[in-house]
Amino acid sequence: MTDELRSWADGPTRDAIVSFVERVAGDGADAVPEAERIAVFDNDGTLWTEKPMPTQLAYIVEQWKAQVEADPSLADRQPYRAAATGDYGWLGGAVDKHYEGDDSDLKVLIGALVGVTAGMSVDDYAASVAEFYERAKHLTLGTPYADAVYRPMVELLRYLEAHGFTVYIVSGGERDFMRPMTQEYYGIPPERVVGSALGLAYDEDTHEVRYAAGLDFFDDGPEKPVRIWSRIGRRPLIAGGNSNGDMAMLDFTRKGDGLALLVHHDDESGRGDAPYDKGAEKALAEASDRGYTVVSVGRDWSTVFVDSAAG
Amino acid sequence: MTDELRSWADGPTRDAIVSFVERVAGDGADAVPEAERIAVFDNDGTLWTEKPMPTQLAYIVEQWKAQVEADPSLADRQPYRAAATGDYGWLGGAVDKHYEGDDSDLKVLIGALVGVTAGMSVDDYAASVAEFYERAKHLTLGTPYADAVYRPMVELLRYLEAHGFTVYIVSGGERDFMRPMTQEYYGIPPERVVGSALGLAYDEDTHEVRYAAGLDFFDDGPEKPVRIWSRIGRRPLIAGGNSNGDMAMLDFTRKGDGLALLVHHDDESGRGDAPYDKGAEKALAEASDRGYTVVSVGRDWSTVFVDSAAG
């Protein structure tokens, strides 16, 4: 069955994954019933690249640009000025601040999304996001976003499913921005996508669910185990993440004697995945003590990105 | 395949269900892809009896009794006095108030649960609830709670699954009070149980998720479509309920050209399901205008309760 992990280099990381999965999915003393084989994965930086900025930000920038075109006076202030002028340095700096201080950064991004979606029906937003994925190109790879997905991780999802696991995404990214692509890119249906959530309200007149003008919750750090329990009602056996914000989810999984994977972006070979530790310093420093299995992009992945056209 | 609906009497209600399901699960113009065949059902009064009081209240009364035993001074005030003295009239009256005025009634019940669960881990609560279901007897039927389940509805769940539907519970009852029994009683796993939710917090020291001291949301009325979208990310094709609090969920489903079932407790034959309209007056009065298919317990169900001992 490990043919399914063909983009994983031979070595201790791949061995650790295979040995854990064969143990819990086998019929020995450590076997876990299929219904309890839950695996959870962060999205940005874990299943696909989050550099030079999370895809969601690229989408919001487009919306801000359109708002400036409709109302040029907006161009006098941020973030509209940066959006209108393509000042990705300013936008990327806003992301970096997240990693240098508190957890408020992605909140700001999602907060900006709030202004775009307030009053919109969930169906209209899904259509707008689907159209973006259909058309937009990744800023540095120049490919469709479908090709910004990590091939070894998609292989891992299929490998886990072949061993009776049910896989969920548990991301700080906004839930309904992920749902229009997760089935096609990852084979994960919308009901298994957990993410940060915009407030919602039911419109009794039109029988539509619409976005409210605020954030419901930000799914990062200690919120991740809370949202896993809310959605699934089980403790995961396997979790994968890549940043400090994933540590609570990884620890929650370990408590159940699980497998906790931490993707380390350390590839210097120029295969298109920019190396960085920012936002993952604590997780990397404590990985050994906490029992995380570190996945080295440079050493453990023989191929990095999927090639959707070749698929 | 309609052998699976053997506790449903021949007639227009059963015909409406079969004809709708065969239409969307067939290969004609109205066919719906299997992944989009979502069905949602209320729990109390829809899948099992909610009389003389919702099961959750019976559980809480046990907890209050134990609290009074530990601290007799509590017996001076309600609801502890009613719990300690077995004053089900007072408790039932509290439920009736819900139907006569605002929607705050079940909130009070769940609010009382908050005092019982605050600080408890989700695992400990699940164990306590599972022990209750194992041991407790229904107050009027005298049977295990497993036998307070409506046989025709369980047949309907299996019938829908046989036609490619995925079934969720969407209840005003507290989610984690339902999860320990839904697999065994209804064949529905914990990840497909949507209900009112107690606040949760992650305990970084013990790696446990614990209940906070408040309610997160009350899953009734217009909150039901909101929670359906949050959890599932799709508009249901079929919904079933029995009260005014289910109308928004039924309407949300109808908008998608679905089947909206409204269980009407009108059985005068003494088969153990007490007749009542309270809390469903508006839904019944507007059923025809809103396109609900009314399910008459008296006429449409040839058998009412499951007999778990008979297998």
Side-chain angles (χ1 to χ4, degrees), chain B residues 21-33 37:
Chain B
V21 170
E22 292 188 345
R23 189 159 60 81
V24 297
D27 48 19
D30 293 331
V32 175
R37 292 182 210 153

Side-chain angles (χ1 to χ4, degrees), chain B residues 160-175:
Chain B
L160 293 176
E161 286 174 357
H163 287 81
F165 277 82
T166 303
V167 178
Y168 290 77
I169 292 175
V170 179
S171 169
E174 194 271 310
R175 182 191 62 217

Side-chain angles (χ1 to χ4, degrees), chain A residues 35 38 122-123 126 168 175-176 179 183 189-193 200-202 204 206-209 211 216 222-223 225-227 229-235 247-248 251-252 255 290, chain B residues 35 38 122-123 126 168 175-176 179 183 189-193 200-202 204 206-209 211 216 222-223 225-227 229-235 247-248 251-252 255 290:
Chain A
I38 302 294
V122 292
D123 296 321
Y168 289 77
R175 182 192 62 217
D176 291 350
R179 281 172 160 169
Q183 181 70 54
E191 60 269 26
R192 290 198 256 122
V193 177
L200 295 171
Y202 181 62
E204 310 240 6
T206 64
H207 300 164
E208 299 275 4
V209 171
Y211 296 102
D216 189 4
E223 192 72 16
V226 163
R227 294 299 152 184
W229 183 262
S230 299
R231 182 72 73 89
I232 310 172
R234 306 184 196 264
R235 195 187 283 262
M247 293 176 73
D251 295 337
F252 185 56
K255 173 80 187 300
R290 291 179 183 250
Chain B
I38 302 295
V122 292
D123 297 320
Y168 290 77
R175 182 191 62 217
D176 291 350
R179 280 173 160 168
Q183 181 70 54
E191 59 269 26
R192 290 199 256 122
V193 178
L200 294 170
Y202 181 61
E204 311 241 6
T206 63
H207 302 163
E208 300 275 4
V209 171
Y211 296 102
D216 188 5
E223 192 72 16
V226 163
R227 295 299 152 185
W229 183 263
S230 299
R231 182 72 73 89
I232 309 172
R234 305 185 196 265
R235 194 186 284 264
M247 293 177 73
D251 295 338
F252 185 57
K255 174 80 187 300
R290 291 179 184 249

